Amino acid sequence: NVVDTIKSDRNGRAVSKTLPLSRYTIREIKAPANYSINPTVMTAYLEFNGQIVTFEVQDSSVSTGISIKKTGPVQAVPGQPIRYVFSQIKNSSNVALDSFYWRDQLPTQVTVLVGIGGDCRQPEDQRGKRRPHRGQPLSYKVVYKTNLSGDYRTLADNLSTSKVYVLDARPAVLGLAANERVTEVMFVFGNVKAGFAQVETPYIYATARSGLANNSGIVNVADVGGLFNGQWIQAVSRWLTTVYTKTTVKLPKTGY
């Protein structure tokens, strides 16, 4: 049972009310801004009247950061397959993040064919050392939006971060209408620890739509984000592909 809740003042001090003789546990439930909660559970034994038990709680400063990088072809012709590559997807914070996701927002000039899900891992501590190539698997899901629907639809669910999947997102496979196309694909992980990062490389395959104008641009945007203390931590990566089309030039007649 909670017998008292105390809040430290500007000097970092807090005093509880007078408590009956007994055994009590104390833990921090909210840290100051830019600091993380100390998870230590402290125990106080009150054995005689007037006894004062003191504790010192030290919080670590919070460093938040995430990253993502997206690359693709510099140039493409209408009807050409396009492969987008995603790298450096990571929670580089020293704290866990909630609602962690990474997402690819697809331009109108391309049609999604297949997405290959990479392998992301939670960091695993072994004897105080962090091993970047091993980890605790998480379950995640992949959702998507189309140009005719503002709501997310599930492409796949209960996927394991310790496995690599090939997900078919062709319009015929998804049962899309003739004028419907995928505009966004998002990978949703939930709570991830500090150091959560991709291990394998995820790809998204698409096709440049026919009829694109010469020298027009295909701008593709990918982002990653997570929540810490109710605030979004996000990063964005953009990639530009220039469209090249064959042009016909009528040459002047020469000779006789």
Side-chain angles (χ1 to χ4, degrees):
N1 297 323
V2 176
V3 296
D4 198 7
T5 301
I6 57 178
K7 182 178 180 180
S8 57
D9 58 21
R10 60 185 299 176
N11 297 316
R13 298 176 179 175
V15 181
S16 74
K17 65 184 180 181
T18 301
L19 299 172
L21 302 183
S22 184
R23 179 177 67 89
Y24 298 92
T25 56
I26 304 98
R27 65 182 179 90
E28 186 178 34
I29 59 173
K30 185 176 182 180
N34 303 317
Y35 287 86
S36 59
I37 293 175
N38 189 322
T40 303
V41 177
M42 299 154 285
T43 303
Y45 295 91
L46 297 183
E47 300 174 327
F48 56 87
N49 291 331
Q51 181 183 3
I52 297 176
V53 180
T54 61
F55 295 96
E56 182 180 55
V57 180
Q58 295 183 344
D59 294 340
S60 301
S61 60
V62 170
S63 173
T64 57
I66 51 180
S67 61
I68 187 171
K69 183 179 180 181
K70 177 175 185 173
T71 57
V74 175
Q75 194 175 67
V77 299
Q80 174 185 333
I82 294 177
R83 186 182 75 161
Y84 291 114
V85 182
F86 303 86
S87 60
Q88 301 177 23
I89 301 172
K90 183 178 182 180
N91 173 22
S92 53
S93 312
N94 62 0
V95 291
L97 297 178
D98 292 320
S99 303
F100 190 86
Y101 74 91
W102 73 269
R103 170 175 58 181
D104 190 36
Q105 301 179 58
L106 296 147
T108 59
Q109 298 96 327
V110 300
T111 300
V112 179
L113 298 178
V114 178
I116 298 181
D119 178 7
C120 296
R121 301 288 178 88
Q122 291 273 34
E124 181 182 43
D125 293 329
Q126 296 283 343
R127 297 181 182 179
K129 296 182 179 180
R130 177 153 294 169
R131 294 184 172 184
H133 301 299
R134 298 182 61 184
Q136 303 170 357
L138 285 178
S139 293
Y140 69 99
K141 68 178 179 178
V142 183
V143 296
Y144 67 96
K145 283 185 179 181
T146 74
N147 59 320
L148 300 183
S149 174
D151 298 326
Y152 284 108
R153 305 176 188 175
T154 299
L155 179 60
D157 202 351
N158 294 320
L159 303 179
S160 173
T161 55
S162 61
K163 298 180 180 180
V164 176
Y165 300 91
V166 178
L167 306 176
D168 196 336
R170 288 176 296 175
V173 174
L174 298 179
L176 303 184
N179 61 338
E180 191 175 15
R181 61 178 183 80
V182 175
T183 58
E184 182 180 316
V185 179
M186 182 165 65
F187 298 73
V188 184
F189 296 91
N191 180 275
V192 300
K193 297 179 181 179
F196 177 80
Q198 73 176 86
V199 178
E200 304 292 342
T201 302
Y203 306 96
I204 288 185
Y205 290 88
T207 299
R209 301 176 69 182
S210 59
L212 297 178
N214 188 45
N215 286 328
S216 61
I218 301 175
V219 180
N220 194 273
V221 180
D223 65 310
V224 61
L227 278 172
F228 177 72
N229 281 350
Q231 294 186 342
W232 281 105
I233 313 299
Q234 294 175 303
V236 179
S237 179
R238 294 176 173 84
W239 185 263
L240 172 64
T241 300
T242 303
V243 176
Y244 170 78
T245 59
K246 180 181 178 181
T247 57
T248 302
V249 179
K250 186 176 182 180
L251 300 176
K253 292 183 178 180
T254 60
Y256 298 92

